[in-house]
Short mmCIF file of all heavy atoms in Angstrom, two decimals:
data_model
loop_
_atom_site.label_atom_id
_atom_site.label_comp_id
_atom_site.label_asym_id
_atom_site.label_seq_id
_atom_site.Cartn_x
_atom_site.Cartn_y
_atom_site.Cartn_z
N MET P 1 -4.45 232.74 -125.04
CA MET P 1 -4.14 231.32 -125.11
C MET P 1 -3.42 230.90 -123.84
O MET P 1 -2.60 231.65 -123.32
CB MET P 1 -3.28 231.02 -126.33
CG MET P 1 -3.23 229.52 -126.59
SD MET P 1 -1.88 228.95 -127.63
CE MET P 1 -0.58 228.84 -126.47
N GLN P 2 -3.71 229.71 -123.38
CA GLN P 2 -3.11 229.16 -122.17
C GLN P 2 -1.93 228.25 -122.54
O GLN P 2 -2.06 227.03 -122.58
CB GLN P 2 -4.15 228.37 -121.39
CG GLN P 2 -5.33 229.19 -120.93
CD GLN P 2 -4.94 230.14 -119.81
OE1 GLN P 2 -4.09 229.85 -119.00
NE2 GLN P 2 -5.59 231.28 -119.79
N GLY P 3 -0.79 228.85 -122.83
CA GLY P 3 0.38 228.09 -123.25
C GLY P 3 0.89 227.11 -122.21
O GLY P 3 1.34 226.02 -122.53
N LYS P 4 0.80 227.50 -120.94
CA LYS P 4 1.28 226.61 -119.87
C LYS P 4 0.43 225.35 -119.80
O LYS P 4 0.95 224.25 -119.59
CB LYS P 4 1.27 227.33 -118.53
CG LYS P 4 2.33 228.39 -118.43
CD LYS P 4 2.30 229.09 -117.10
CE LYS P 4 3.34 230.20 -117.11
NZ LYS P 4 3.36 230.92 -115.84
N THR P 5 -0.88 225.49 -120.01
CA THR P 5 -1.77 224.33 -119.99
C THR P 5 -1.47 223.43 -121.18
O THR P 5 -1.42 222.20 -121.03
CB THR P 5 -3.25 224.78 -120.01
OG1 THR P 5 -3.47 225.65 -118.91
CG2 THR P 5 -4.18 223.59 -119.92
N LEU P 6 -1.27 224.02 -122.33
CA LEU P 6 -0.94 223.23 -123.53
C LEU P 6 0.39 222.49 -123.33
O LEU P 6 0.50 221.30 -123.63
CB LEU P 6 -0.88 224.12 -124.76
CG LEU P 6 -0.57 223.43 -126.08
CD1 LEU P 6 -1.61 222.36 -126.40
CD2 LEU P 6 -0.51 224.46 -127.19
N LYS P 7 1.38 223.17 -122.79
CA LYS P 7 2.68 222.54 -122.53
C LYS P 7 2.51 221.38 -121.55
O LYS P 7 3.08 220.31 -121.76
CB LYS P 7 3.65 223.57 -121.97
CG LYS P 7 5.03 223.00 -121.69
CD LYS P 7 5.97 224.06 -121.18
CE LYS P 7 7.34 223.46 -120.88
NZ LYS P 7 8.29 224.49 -120.43
N MET P 8 1.73 221.59 -120.50
CA MET P 8 1.50 220.54 -119.51
C MET P 8 0.86 219.31 -120.16
O MET P 8 1.28 218.19 -119.94
CB MET P 8 0.60 221.05 -118.39
CG MET P 8 0.29 220.02 -117.33
SD MET P 8 -0.92 220.62 -116.13
CE MET P 8 -2.39 220.65 -117.16
N LYS P 9 -0.15 219.53 -121.01
CA LYS P 9 -0.81 218.41 -121.70
C LYS P 9 0.16 217.69 -122.63
O LYS P 9 0.14 216.47 -122.73
CB LYS P 9 -2.04 218.91 -122.48
CG LYS P 9 -3.18 219.38 -121.62
CD LYS P 9 -3.76 218.28 -120.76
CE LYS P 9 -4.58 217.31 -121.58
NZ LYS P 9 -5.27 216.31 -120.77
N ARG P 10 1.03 218.45 -123.29
CA ARG P 10 2.03 217.84 -124.18
C ARG P 10 2.98 216.95 -123.38
O ARG P 10 3.25 215.81 -123.76
CB ARG P 10 2.82 218.94 -124.91
CG ARG P 10 3.93 218.38 -125.79
CD ARG P 10 4.67 219.46 -126.56
NE ARG P 10 5.22 220.53 -125.77
CZ ARG P 10 6.35 220.44 -125.04
NH1 ARG P 10 7.02 219.31 -124.99
NH2 ARG P 10 6.79 221.49 -124.38
N ILE P 11 3.43 217.45 -122.25
CA ILE P 11 4.37 216.70 -121.41
C ILE P 11 3.69 215.48 -120.80
O ILE P 11 4.27 214.39 -120.78
CB ILE P 11 4.98 217.61 -120.33
CG1 ILE P 11 5.91 218.64 -121.01
CG2 ILE P 11 5.74 216.80 -119.28
CD1 ILE P 11 6.36 219.76 -120.10
N ILE P 12 2.47 215.64 -120.31
CA ILE P 12 1.72 214.52 -119.72
C ILE P 12 1.56 213.39 -120.74
O ILE P 12 1.64 212.21 -120.40
CB ILE P 12 0.35 214.98 -119.20
CG1 ILE P 12 0.53 215.78 -117.91
CG2 ILE P 12 -0.60 213.80 -118.97
CD1 ILE P 12 -0.72 216.48 -117.43
N ASN P 13 1.33 213.77 -122.00
CA ASN P 13 1.16 212.78 -123.06
C ASN P 13 2.49 212.32 -123.65
O ASN P 13 2.52 211.58 -124.64
CB ASN P 13 0.25 213.34 -124.15
CG ASN P 13 -1.20 213.32 -123.74
OD1 ASN P 13 -1.83 212.28 -123.74
ND2 ASN P 13 -1.72 214.48 -123.33
N ASP P 14 3.60 212.75 -123.04
CA ASP P 14 4.94 212.29 -123.38
C ASP P 14 5.35 212.63 -124.82
O ASP P 14 5.88 211.79 -125.55
CB ASP P 14 5.08 210.79 -123.12
CG ASP P 14 6.52 210.35 -122.96
OD1 ASP P 14 7.36 211.17 -122.53
OD2 ASP P 14 6.82 209.19 -123.29
N TYR P 15 5.07 213.88 -125.22
CA TYR P 15 5.48 214.36 -126.54
C TYR P 15 6.51 215.47 -126.38
O TYR P 15 6.39 216.31 -125.49
CB TYR P 15 4.29 214.93 -127.33
CG TYR P 15 3.38 213.89 -127.91
CD1 TYR P 15 2.15 213.62 -127.30
CD2 TYR P 15 3.71 213.19 -129.05
CE1 TYR P 15 1.30 212.67 -127.83
CE2 TYR P 15 2.86 212.24 -129.59
CZ TYR P 15 1.66 211.99 -128.96
OH TYR P 15 0.82 211.05 -129.50
N THR P 16 7.48 215.49 -127.27
CA THR P 16 8.42 216.60 -127.33
C THR P 16 7.86 217.68 -128.26
O THR P 16 6.92 217.42 -129.04
CB THR P 16 9.79 216.15 -127.89
OG1 THR P 16 9.62 215.75 -129.25
CG2 THR P 16 10.38 215.02 -127.06
N ILE P 17 8.45 218.85 -128.20
CA ILE P 17 8.07 219.92 -129.11
C ILE P 17 8.26 219.45 -130.55
O ILE P 17 7.40 219.68 -131.40
CB ILE P 17 8.87 221.20 -128.83
CG1 ILE P 17 8.41 221.84 -127.51
CG2 ILE P 17 8.78 222.20 -129.97
CD1 ILE P 17 9.24 223.01 -127.06
N GLU P 18 9.35 218.80 -130.81
CA GLU P 18 9.65 218.35 -132.18
C GLU P 18 8.61 217.34 -132.68
O GLU P 18 8.18 217.40 -133.83
CB GLU P 18 11.05 217.76 -132.27
CG GLU P 18 11.44 217.46 -133.70
CD GLU P 18 12.93 217.41 -133.91
OE1 GLU P 18 13.69 217.77 -133.00
OE2 GLU P 18 13.32 217.01 -135.00
N GLN P 19 8.20 216.41 -131.82
CA GLN P 19 7.20 215.42 -132.22
C GLN P 19 5.87 216.09 -132.57
O GLN P 19 5.25 215.74 -133.59
CB GLN P 19 6.99 214.40 -131.10
CG GLN P 19 8.15 213.46 -130.92
CD GLN P 19 8.03 212.61 -129.67
OE1 GLN P 19 7.63 213.09 -128.62
NE2 GLN P 19 8.38 211.34 -129.80
N ILE P 20 5.43 217.03 -131.74
CA ILE P 20 4.16 217.72 -132.03
C ILE P 20 4.30 218.57 -133.29
O ILE P 20 3.39 218.60 -134.12
CB ILE P 20 3.72 218.59 -130.83
CG1 ILE P 20 3.40 217.70 -129.62
CG2 ILE P 20 2.53 219.46 -131.19
CD1 ILE P 20 2.20 216.80 -129.79
N ALA P 21 5.42 219.23 -133.45
CA ALA P 21 5.64 220.02 -134.66
C ALA P 21 5.56 219.14 -135.90
O ALA P 21 4.94 219.54 -136.91
CB ALA P 21 6.99 220.73 -134.59
N ASN P 22 6.12 217.95 -135.84
CA ASN P 22 6.06 217.03 -136.97
C ASN P 22 4.62 216.61 -137.26
O ASN P 22 4.23 216.52 -138.43
CB ASN P 22 6.93 215.80 -136.71
CG ASN P 22 8.41 216.09 -136.84
OD1 ASN P 22 8.81 217.04 -137.50
ND2 ASN P 22 9.22 215.29 -136.18
N VAL P 23 3.85 216.35 -136.22
CA VAL P 23 2.44 215.99 -136.41
C VAL P 23 1.70 217.11 -137.12
O VAL P 23 0.87 216.87 -138.00
CB VAL P 23 1.77 215.68 -135.04
CG1 VAL P 23 0.26 215.63 -135.16
CG2 VAL P 23 2.30 214.38 -134.47
N LEU P 24 2.01 218.35 -136.73
CA LEU P 24 1.32 219.51 -137.32
C LEU P 24 1.90 219.92 -138.67
O LEU P 24 1.31 220.74 -139.38
CB LEU P 24 1.38 220.70 -136.36
CG LEU P 24 0.73 220.50 -135.00
CD1 LEU P 24 0.88 221.76 -134.16
CD2 LEU P 24 -0.74 220.13 -135.14
N GLY P 25 3.06 219.37 -139.01
CA GLY P 25 3.70 219.73 -140.28
C GLY P 25 4.32 221.12 -140.28
O GLY P 25 4.34 221.79 -141.30
N ILE P 26 4.80 221.54 -139.09
CA ILE P 26 5.43 222.85 -138.97
C ILE P 26 6.81 222.68 -138.34
O ILE P 26 7.14 221.64 -137.80
CB ILE P 26 4.57 223.84 -138.13
CG1 ILE P 26 4.34 223.32 -136.72
CG2 ILE P 26 3.25 224.12 -138.85
CD1 ILE P 26 3.56 224.28 -135.81
N HIS P 27 7.61 223.72 -138.42
CA HIS P 27 8.95 223.70 -137.85
C HIS P 27 8.86 223.72 -136.33
O HIS P 27 7.95 224.31 -135.75
CB HIS P 27 9.73 224.92 -138.36
CG HIS P 27 11.19 224.86 -138.04
ND1 HIS P 27 11.70 225.32 -136.86
CD2 HIS P 27 12.23 224.38 -138.76
CE1 HIS P 27 13.01 225.14 -136.86
NE2 HIS P 27 13.35 224.56 -138.00
N ARG P 28 9.83 223.10 -135.68
CA ARG P 28 9.88 223.03 -134.22
C ARG P 28 9.83 224.42 -133.58
O ARG P 28 9.12 224.65 -132.61
CB ARG P 28 11.16 222.30 -133.78
CG ARG P 28 11.34 222.21 -132.28
CD ARG P 28 12.69 221.64 -131.90
NE ARG P 28 13.82 222.34 -132.50
CZ ARG P 28 14.30 223.52 -132.07
NH1 ARG P 28 13.76 224.13 -131.05
NH2 ARG P 28 15.32 224.07 -132.68
N GLN P 29 10.57 225.35 -134.14
CA GLN P 29 10.61 226.71 -133.59
C GLN P 29 9.24 227.39 -133.73
O GLN P 29 8.81 228.12 -132.84
CB GLN P 29 11.69 227.54 -134.28
CG GLN P 29 11.87 228.90 -133.66
CD GLN P 29 13.04 229.66 -134.30
OE1 GLN P 29 13.58 229.24 -135.31
NE2 GLN P 29 13.41 230.77 -133.69
N THR P 30 8.57 227.15 -134.84
CA THR P 30 7.23 227.72 -135.03
C THR P 30 6.27 227.18 -133.99
O THR P 30 5.50 227.95 -133.39
CB THR P 30 6.71 227.41 -136.45
OG1 THR P 30 7.63 227.95 -137.41
CG2 THR P 30 5.33 227.99 -136.68
N TYR P 31 6.32 225.86 -133.75
CA TYR P 31 5.44 225.30 -132.72
C TYR P 31 5.76 225.90 -131.36
O TYR P 31 4.85 226.25 -130.60
CB TYR P 31 5.53 223.77 -132.64
CG TYR P 31 4.68 223.28 -131.50
CD1 TYR P 31 3.31 223.18 -131.65
CD2 TYR P 31 5.24 223.02 -130.26
CE1 TYR P 31 2.50 222.81 -130.58
CE2 TYR P 31 4.43 222.65 -129.18
CZ TYR P 31 3.07 222.55 -129.36
OH TYR P 31 2.28 222.21 -128.29
N SER P 32 7.02 226.04 -131.05
CA SER P 32 7.42 226.60 -129.76
C SER P 32 6.84 228.00 -129.58
O SER P 32 6.32 228.34 -128.51
CB SER P 32 8.94 226.64 -129.65
OG SER P 32 9.34 227.15 -128.41
N LEU P 33 6.91 228.82 -130.62
CA LEU P 33 6.35 230.17 -130.55
C LEU P 33 4.83 230.13 -130.35
O LEU P 33 4.27 230.93 -129.61
CB LEU P 33 6.69 230.96 -131.82
CG LEU P 33 8.15 231.34 -131.98
CD1 LEU P 33 8.39 231.92 -133.37
CD2 LEU P 33 8.59 232.32 -130.90
N LYS P 34 4.18 229.18 -130.99
CA LYS P 34 2.73 229.04 -130.84
C LYS P 34 2.38 228.58 -129.43
O LYS P 34 1.44 229.09 -128.82
CB LYS P 34 2.17 228.08 -131.89
CG LYS P 34 2.21 228.67 -133.29
CD LYS P 34 1.63 227.74 -134.32
CE LYS P 34 1.68 228.40 -135.69
NZ LYS P 34 0.57 228.00 -136.54
N GLU P 35 3.14 227.63 -128.90
CA GLU P 35 2.87 227.13 -127.55
C GLU P 35 3.09 228.24 -126.52
O GLU P 35 2.41 228.28 -125.50
CB GLU P 35 3.78 225.93 -127.25
CG GLU P 35 3.45 225.25 -125.93
CD GLU P 35 4.29 224.02 -125.68
OE1 GLU P 35 5.43 224.17 -125.17
OE2 GLU P 35 3.82 222.90 -125.99
N GLN P 36 4.02 229.14 -126.80
CA GLN P 36 4.28 230.26 -125.90
C GLN P 36 3.26 231.39 -126.05
O GLN P 36 3.28 232.36 -125.29
CB GLN P 36 5.68 230.82 -126.16
CG GLN P 36 6.81 229.89 -125.82
CD GLN P 36 8.14 230.43 -126.28
OE1 GLN P 36 8.42 231.62 -126.17
NE2 GLN P 36 8.97 229.56 -126.83
N GLY P 37 2.38 231.28 -127.04
CA GLY P 37 1.37 232.31 -127.25
C GLY P 37 1.85 233.47 -128.08
O GLY P 37 1.16 234.49 -128.19
N LYS P 38 3.01 233.34 -128.71
CA LYS P 38 3.55 234.42 -129.53
C LYS P 38 3.03 234.38 -130.96
O LYS P 38 3.17 235.36 -131.70
CB LYS P 38 5.08 234.37 -129.52
CG LYS P 38 5.65 234.65 -128.13
CD LYS P 38 7.14 234.57 -128.12
CE LYS P 38 7.66 234.86 -126.70
NZ LYS P 38 9.11 234.78 -126.64
N LYS P 39 2.46 233.25 -131.36
CA LYS P 39 1.81 233.08 -132.67
C LYS P 39 0.52 232.31 -132.43
O LYS P 39 0.41 231.56 -131.46
CB LYS P 39 2.69 232.29 -133.64
CG LYS P 39 3.87 233.04 -134.18
CD LYS P 39 4.53 232.24 -135.30
CE LYS P 39 5.43 233.13 -136.10
NZ LYS P 39 5.75 232.57 -137.39
N GLU P 40 -0.42 232.46 -133.34
CA GLU P 40 -1.72 231.79 -133.22
C GLU P 40 -1.71 230.43 -133.91
O GLU P 40 -1.06 230.25 -134.94
CB GLU P 40 -2.81 232.65 -133.86
CG GLU P 40 -3.04 233.98 -133.18
CD GLU P 40 -3.73 233.84 -131.85
OE1 GLU P 40 -4.64 232.97 -131.73
OE2 GLU P 40 -3.37 234.57 -130.91
N PHE P 41 -2.44 229.47 -133.34
CA PHE P 41 -2.69 228.20 -134.00
C PHE P 41 -3.85 228.39 -134.97
O PHE P 41 -4.79 229.12 -134.67
CB PHE P 41 -3.09 227.13 -132.97
CG PHE P 41 -1.95 226.63 -132.13
CD1 PHE P 41 -1.72 227.16 -130.88
CD2 PHE P 41 -1.13 225.62 -132.60
CE1 PHE P 41 -0.68 226.69 -130.09
CE2 PHE P 41 -0.07 225.14 -131.82
CZ PHE P 41 0.14 225.69 -130.56
N ASN P 42 -3.80 227.71 -136.12
CA ASN P 42 -4.95 227.76 -137.03
C ASN P 42 -5.91 226.62 -136.66
O ASN P 42 -5.60 225.77 -135.82
CB ASN P 42 -4.51 227.73 -138.50
CG ASN P 42 -3.84 226.43 -138.89
OD1 ASN P 42 -4.24 225.35 -138.48
ND2 ASN P 42 -2.81 226.53 -139.73
N ALA P 43 -7.07 226.61 -137.27
CA ALA P 43 -8.12 225.66 -136.92
C ALA P 43 -7.69 224.20 -137.12
O ALA P 43 -7.97 223.35 -136.28
CB ALA P 43 -9.38 225.94 -137.73
N SER P 44 -6.99 223.92 -138.20
CA SER P 44 -6.57 222.53 -138.45
C SER P 44 -5.52 222.08 -137.43
O SER P 44 -5.52 220.92 -137.01
CB SER P 44 -6.06 222.34 -139.88
OG SER P 44 -4.87 223.05 -140.09
N GLU P 45 -4.65 223.00 -137.00
CA GLU P 45 -3.67 222.66 -135.98
C GLU P 45 -4.36 222.37 -134.64
O GLU P 45 -4.00 221.42 -133.94
CB GLU P 45 -2.66 223.80 -135.81
CG GLU P 45 -1.76 223.97 -137.01
CD GLU P 45 -0.96 225.24 -137.00
OE1 GLU P 45 -1.31 226.20 -136.26
OE2 GLU P 45 0.04 225.31 -137.75
N ILE P 46 -5.36 223.16 -134.31
CA ILE P 46 -6.11 222.95 -133.06
C ILE P 46 -6.81 221.59 -133.11
O ILE P 46 -6.79 220.84 -132.13
CB ILE P 46 -7.11 224.10 -132.82
CG1 ILE P 46 -6.33 225.39 -132.52
CG2 ILE P 46 -8.06 223.76 -131.67
CD1 ILE P 46 -7.19 226.64 -132.48
N THR P 47 -7.40 221.26 -134.24
CA THR P 47 -8.06 219.97 -134.40
C THR P 47 -7.07 218.82 -134.22
O THR P 47 -7.36 217.84 -133.54
CB THR P 47 -8.75 219.88 -135.78
OG1 THR P 47 -9.71 220.93 -135.88
CG2 THR P 47 -9.43 218.54 -135.98
N SER P 48 -5.90 218.95 -134.81
CA SER P 48 -4.87 217.92 -134.66
C SER P 48 -4.40 217.80 -133.22
O SER P 48 -4.25 216.69 -132.69
CB SER P 48 -3.67 218.22 -135.56
OG SER P 48 -4.03 218.12 -136.91
N LEU P 49 -4.19 218.92 -132.57
CA LEU P 49 -3.76 218.91 -131.17
C LEU P 49 -4.83 218.29 -130.27
O LEU P 49 -4.51 217.55 -129.35
CB LEU P 49 -3.43 220.33 -130.69
CG LEU P 49 -2.14 220.91 -131.22
CD1 LEU P 49 -2.04 222.39 -130.89
CD2 LEU P 49 -0.94 220.17 -130.66
N LYS P 50 -6.08 218.59 -130.56
CA LYS P 50 -7.18 218.01 -129.78
C LYS P 50 -7.12 216.49 -129.83
O LYS P 50 -7.26 215.81 -128.82
CB LYS P 50 -8.53 218.50 -130.33
CG LYS P 50 -9.73 217.94 -129.59
CD LYS P 50 -11.03 218.47 -130.19
CE LYS P 50 -12.21 217.99 -129.39
NZ LYS P 50 -12.81 216.80 -129.88
N SER P 51 -6.87 215.96 -131.00
CA SER P 51 -6.81 214.52 -131.18
C SER P 51 -5.55 213.92 -130.54
O SER P 51 -5.63 212.97 -129.76
CB SER P 51 -6.85 214.19 -132.67
OG SER P 51 -6.69 212.82 -132.88
N VAL P 52 -4.40 214.47 -130.87
CA VAL P 52 -3.13 213.91 -130.41
C VAL P 52 -2.98 214.00 -128.89
O VAL P 52 -2.53 213.05 -128.25
CB VAL P 52 -1.94 214.63 -131.10
CG1 VAL P 52 -0.62 214.24 -130.49
CG2 VAL P 52 -1.95 214.34 -132.58
N LEU P 53 -3.37 215.13 -128.31
CA LEU P 53 -3.21 215.34 -126.87
C LEU P 53 -4.44 214.92 -126.07
O LEU P 53 -4.47 215.12 -124.86
CB LEU P 53 -2.85 216.80 -126.59
CG LEU P 53 -1.55 217.30 -127.22
CD1 LEU P 53 -1.34 218.77 -126.91
CD2 LEU P 53 -0.36 216.47 -126.77
N LYS P 54 -5.43 214.37 -126.76
CA LYS P 54 -6.65 213.89 -126.11
C LYS P 54 -7.31 214.99 -125.28
O LYS P 54 -7.62 214.81 -124.10
CB LYS P 54 -6.36 212.67 -125.25
CG LYS P 54 -5.72 211.53 -126.02
CD LYS P 54 -5.23 210.44 -125.11
CE LYS P 54 -4.44 209.44 -125.91
NZ LYS P 54 -3.06 209.36 -125.52
N LEU P 55 -7.51 216.15 -125.93
CA LEU P 55 -8.11 217.29 -125.24
C LEU P 55 -9.62 217.20 -125.30
O LEU P 55 -10.19 216.91 -126.35
CB LEU P 55 -7.67 218.60 -125.90
CG LEU P 55 -6.16 218.88 -125.95
CD1 LEU P 55 -5.90 220.14 -126.76
CD2 LEU P 55 -5.60 219.01 -124.56
N SER P 56 -10.26 217.49 -124.19
CA SER P 56 -11.72 217.55 -124.15
C SER P 56 -12.16 218.87 -124.80
O SER P 56 -11.36 219.80 -124.94
CB SER P 56 -12.22 217.50 -122.71
OG SER P 56 -11.88 218.70 -122.04
N PRO P 57 -13.43 218.97 -125.19
CA PRO P 57 -13.92 220.24 -125.74
C PRO P 57 -13.71 221.41 -124.77
O PRO P 57 -13.38 222.51 -125.19
CB PRO P 57 -15.41 219.99 -125.99
CG PRO P 57 -15.48 218.50 -126.21
CD PRO P 57 -14.45 217.92 -125.28
N GLU P 58 -13.86 221.14 -123.48
CA GLU P 58 -13.65 222.18 -122.47
C GLU P 58 -12.20 222.64 -122.44
O GLU P 58 -11.91 223.84 -122.32
CB GLU P 58 -14.07 221.69 -121.08
CG GLU P 58 -15.55 221.44 -120.93
CD GLU P 58 -16.02 220.10 -121.50
OE1 GLU P 58 -15.17 219.19 -121.73
OE2 GLU P 58 -17.22 219.97 -121.75
N GLU P 59 -11.28 221.67 -122.56
CA GLU P 59 -9.85 222.01 -122.56
C GLU P 59 -9.51 222.82 -123.81
O GLU P 59 -8.72 223.77 -123.74
CB GLU P 59 -9.00 220.75 -122.49
CG GLU P 59 -9.03 220.08 -121.13
CD GLU P 59 -8.33 218.74 -121.11
OE1 GLU P 59 -8.47 217.95 -122.07
OE2 GLU P 59 -7.64 218.48 -120.10
N VAL P 60 -10.09 222.46 -124.94
CA VAL P 60 -9.84 223.22 -126.18
C VAL P 60 -10.28 224.67 -125.98
O VAL P 60 -9.54 225.61 -126.31
CB VAL P 60 -10.57 222.59 -127.39
CG1 VAL P 60 -10.50 223.50 -128.60
CG2 VAL P 60 -9.97 221.22 -127.71
N CYS P 61 -11.45 224.86 -125.41
CA CYS P 61 -11.94 226.23 -125.14
C CYS P 61 -11.03 226.95 -124.18
O CYS P 61 -10.67 228.10 -124.42
CB CYS P 61 -13.36 226.20 -124.60
SG CYS P 61 -14.59 225.77 -125.82
N ASP P 62 -10.65 226.29 -123.10
CA ASP P 62 -9.79 226.92 -122.10
C ASP P 62 -8.43 227.30 -122.66
O ASP P 62 -7.90 228.36 -122.37
CB ASP P 62 -9.60 226.01 -120.88
CG ASP P 62 -10.84 225.89 -120.02
OD1 ASP P 62 -11.76 226.72 -120.16
OD2 ASP P 62 -10.88 224.94 -119.22
N ILE P 63 -7.86 226.42 -123.45
CA ILE P 63 -6.50 226.65 -123.97
C ILE P 63 -6.50 227.65 -125.11
O ILE P 63 -5.68 228.58 -125.12
CB ILE P 63 -5.87 225.32 -124.45
CG1 ILE P 63 -5.62 224.41 -123.25
CG2 ILE P 63 -4.56 225.58 -125.21
CD1 ILE P 63 -5.23 222.98 -123.62
N PHE P 64 -7.40 227.51 -126.07
CA PHE P 64 -7.31 228.30 -127.30
C PHE P 64 -8.24 229.51 -127.38
O PHE P 64 -8.03 230.38 -128.19
CB PHE P 64 -7.53 227.39 -128.52
CG PHE P 64 -6.51 226.29 -128.61
CD1 PHE P 64 -6.84 224.99 -128.27
CD2 PHE P 64 -5.21 226.56 -129.02
CE1 PHE P 64 -5.90 223.97 -128.34
CE2 PHE P 64 -4.27 225.54 -129.10
CZ PHE P 64 -4.61 224.25 -128.75
N LEU P 65 -9.29 229.53 -126.58
CA LEU P 65 -10.27 230.60 -126.71
C LEU P 65 -10.27 231.58 -125.55
O LEU P 65 -10.98 232.58 -125.60
CB LEU P 65 -11.67 230.01 -126.90
CG LEU P 65 -11.82 229.09 -128.12
CD1 LEU P 65 -13.22 228.53 -128.18
CD2 LEU P 65 -11.46 229.82 -129.40
N ASN P 66 -9.52 231.31 -124.52
CA ASN P 66 -9.47 232.22 -123.37
C ASN P 66 -8.16 232.97 -123.30
O ASN P 66 -7.17 232.60 -123.75
CB ASN P 66 -9.69 231.48 -122.05
CG ASN P 66 -11.11 230.97 -121.93
OD1 ASN P 66 -12.03 231.56 -122.45
ND2 ASN P 66 -11.27 229.88 -121.23
#
């Protein structure tokens, strides 16, 4: 997983870790661990992130599948 790319997209879209965690319905610390690549995102979380952060299909592949 490309945590740095995900973090960059979050910051560009002006979201805090806490805001994204709330969107996903998870604890802030859990999101932080996922963004760092220490835990995996599930499919519904990836779908939500794609929408909220306006990720293209290519970005989704680059961030979550590589």
Side-chain angles (χ1 to χ4, degrees):
M1 193 199 83
Q2 299 288 328
K4 289 180 183 180
T5 304
L6 181 58
K7 181 178 179 178
M8 179 186 70
K9 292 297 286 186
R10 176 177 55 77
I11 291 169
I12 286 170
N13 284 284
D14 201 28
Y15 284 103
T16 65
I17 288 173
E18 187 157 351
Q19 289 171 318
I20 295 294
N22 286 337
V23 166
L24 299 179
I26 60 177
H27 191 273
R28 178 187 54 78
Q29 186 175 10
T30 302
Y31 176 79
S32 181
L33 290 171
K34 289 181 179 212
E35 187 176 84
Q36 293 172 41
K38 295 179 180 179
K39 287 189 163 198
E40 295 288 322
F41 286 96
N42 65 39
S44 67
E45 292 168 342
I46 292 171
T47 300
S48 293
L49 287 170
K50 179 180 184 266
S51 176
V52 171
L53 299 178
K54 303 170 188 116
L55 302 174
S56 70
E58 293 80 18
E59 288 173 319
V60 170
C61 288
D62 289 344
I63 292 170
F64 300 105
L65 301 178
N66 291 330

